[in-house]
Amino acid sequence: MHRLGGRKIFLFGFIAVLLIGIPVTIYLVQRQQETRSRAEKSTNLTFTPDSSPSAPIQKKIGESIPLDIFVDPGTNLVSFVKLEIQYDPEKIATASADAFKPDVTTFPSVLEGPVYTPGKISVTLSVGPDPTKAIQTKAKAATVTFKAVSNTAPGTPTLVSYGASTQALSIGFNDQASENVLSSATPAHIIIGGDAGPSEPIPTGTPAPTIPAIISPTAPAVLPPVSLPPVSLPPAGGATPSANTSPVCTTLTVDKSPSGAAPLSLNFGATGSDPDGTVSKVTFNFGDGQVVDVTDPASGVGTASVSAQTAYTYNTAGTFTASAVLTDNANGISASTSCTQTVTVTGNGVTTAPPVEPPVSLPPTGTTEVVLGIGALLLTIIVGGGFLFFFL
């Protein structure tokens, strides 16, 4: 019977080691990748002050609505957030051109934006290249300030919410650098009620006259006093109180064609009057979330008739409905549909790629070291086996 030589036995053993070691290595690598892909989504985004459908934020037309944005990372180490804040531009508008202000203590780096479009604000924030700055506890990310422009339906709040593009990235060990770890995003609920109108004067009555006692010629009897109904007197000056009549916006004009490529600069002009008082302000709503109040006496504000002007530049493409609203001295408001202009803005053909945050390198830990160790062992076996195969 033919006996196997030592060289052949070693060769068979070497092949057996390879057949066992390679599948084991592949299995461990797959387990490592599976472990790395299971990012724990525990980051939450909220607005402050807190609100809910049953306890909304209460505001009136013209009032400011500041909202603080908070990031609660849970078990994540948040280094990057992309915010898409959505709202109803017919109910609220950004209070100014810099309505969104990041908290530079929490996020010192603004990678993109903020970009204002109708009903939406987009911005990307980062802690920067230093991984030790990653957010580990609940922290304020930014403040966004809106302005109430229209009443909401009774009992139905308008929402400020986070859009589908909102995401948070973590540099935690079990979190992949490109995986969204956002667990929840709570919206803000806002009820907008009308301004309180002027109080009606309360009529005052004259005191009831009394009839003096009549002395009987035969007996000193006293008759009881006779009460007369109160007599209503008109207010001082003889004026009769009446309901306020809202002002009327007559025209809204632009100085050139309201269509063109971004940036599109337009000069708006609004005219109108108040039949029973004076106009206290003219509010221009540009349809993209921006609102401007004109209170300059040179425009006729403070008198019965106004002719107000303002300039505005559209920087983003889209179709916008600009409008003007007059407010009188009794808080009456003109119809928002009486003075409107449709503005169409096309793109300027220039596109820029969003900045990319450099990845943060972390030292290998856990099963990665096991995989590297097994790989090194197999490499040693292969090299050693090769030498023995040729020298035995």
Side-chain angles (χ1 to χ4, degrees):
M1 184 175 181
H2 181 70
R3 296 178 61 187
L4 295 175
R7 183 174 179 179
K8 292 183 178 180
I9 293 175
F10 178 81
L11 178 61
F12 289 138
F14 177 68
I15 294 174
V17 170
L18 290 179
L19 292 176
I20 295 174
I22 291 176
V24 170
T25 302
I26 294 174
Y27 171 75
L28 291 176
V29 170
Q30 290 176 340
R31 287 294 303 273
Q32 168 69 6
Q33 292 176 344
E34 181 181 356
T35 301
R36 294 283 295 172
S37 65
R38 293 174 183 171
E40 185 175 357
K41 298 184 177 183
S42 63
T43 299
N44 301 310
L45 291 175
T46 58
F47 288 108
T48 300
D50 298 331
S51 61
S52 66
S54 59
I57 300 170
Q58 300 279 349
K59 292 293 179 179
K60 293 183 179 180
I61 294 176
E63 289 186 336
S64 177
I65 311 172
L67 297 174
D68 290 333
I69 300 172
F70 275 84
V71 178
D72 187 349
T75 58
N76 300 134
L77 297 177
V78 176
S79 62
F80 169 101
V81 292
K82 180 179 181 181
L83 301 175
E84 182 184 77
I85 302 170
Q86 297 181 338
Y87 59 94
D88 184 353
E90 295 184 357
K91 302 301 180 184
I92 61 176
T94 49
S96 64
D98 58 347
F100 185 94
K101 295 184 178 180
D103 190 309
V104 295
T105 302
T106 305
F107 288 105
S109 177
V110 179
L111 300 181
E112 186 178 27
V115 177
Y116 300 90
T117 53
K120 184 171 67 176
I121 303 173
S122 301
V123 63
T124 302
L125 307 175
S126 169
V127 299
D130 186 356
T132 63
K133 301 295 185 180
I135 302 173
Q136 304 182 49
T137 59
K138 186 176 181 179
K140 178 180 173 182
T143 299
V144 59
T145 305
F146 295 97
K147 181 179 180 180
V149 297
S150 177
N151 289 339
T152 56
T156 305
T158 186
L159 299 181
V160 179
S161 58
Y162 297 97
S165 297
T166 300
Q167 60 178 300
L169 303 184
S170 171
I171 59 172
F173 168 68
N174 290 327
D175 304 333
Q176 287 195 0
S178 60
E179 186 168 358
N180 189 3
V181 296
L182 184 63
S183 174
S184 66
T186 305
H189 300 76
I190 304 169
I191 287 287
I192 303 173
D195 291 325
S199 58
E200 295 290 336
I202 301 175
T204 58
T206 57
T210 57
I211 298 177
I214 301 176
I215 300 175
S216 171
T218 58
V222 178
L223 296 178
V226 178
S227 299
L228 298 178
V231 179
S232 298
L233 297 178
T240 302
S242 60
N244 178 60
T245 302
S246 297
V248 176
C249 183
T250 307
T251 60
L252 176 63
T253 59
V254 290
D255 63 333
K256 61 182 180 182
S257 172
S259 300
L264 177 62
S265 298
L266 298 173
N267 292 315
F268 289 87
T271 60
S273 61
D274 184 43
D276 62 348
T278 60
V279 177
S280 60
K281 68 177 177 180
V282 179
T283 301
F284 290 89
N285 189 330
F286 302 107
D288 62 350
Q290 299 294 321
V291 175
V292 170
D293 288 334
V294 175
T295 57
D296 185 4
S299 300
V301 173
T303 66
S305 298
V306 293
S307 178
Q309 293 81 34
T310 188
Y312 186 69
T313 300
Y314 291 88
N315 292 308
T316 56
T319 300
F320 312 102
T321 301
S323 61
V325 172
L326 276 59
T327 303
D328 66 13
N329 58 306
N331 291 322
I333 300 174
S334 66
S336 60
T337 56
S338 59
C339 287
T340 61
Q341 279 281 351
T342 299
V343 179
T344 303
V345 183
T346 58
N348 55 12
V350 178
T351 58
T352 57
V356 179
E357 182 182 16
V360 178
S361 300
L362 296 177
T365 56
T367 56
T368 302
E369 296 176 349
V370 176
V371 172
L372 294 177
I374 293 176
L377 177 61
L378 288 177
L379 180 61
T380 303
I381 292 175
I382 293 172
V383 174
F387 279 107
L388 292 176
F389 180 79
F390 287 105
F391 289 103
L392 286 179

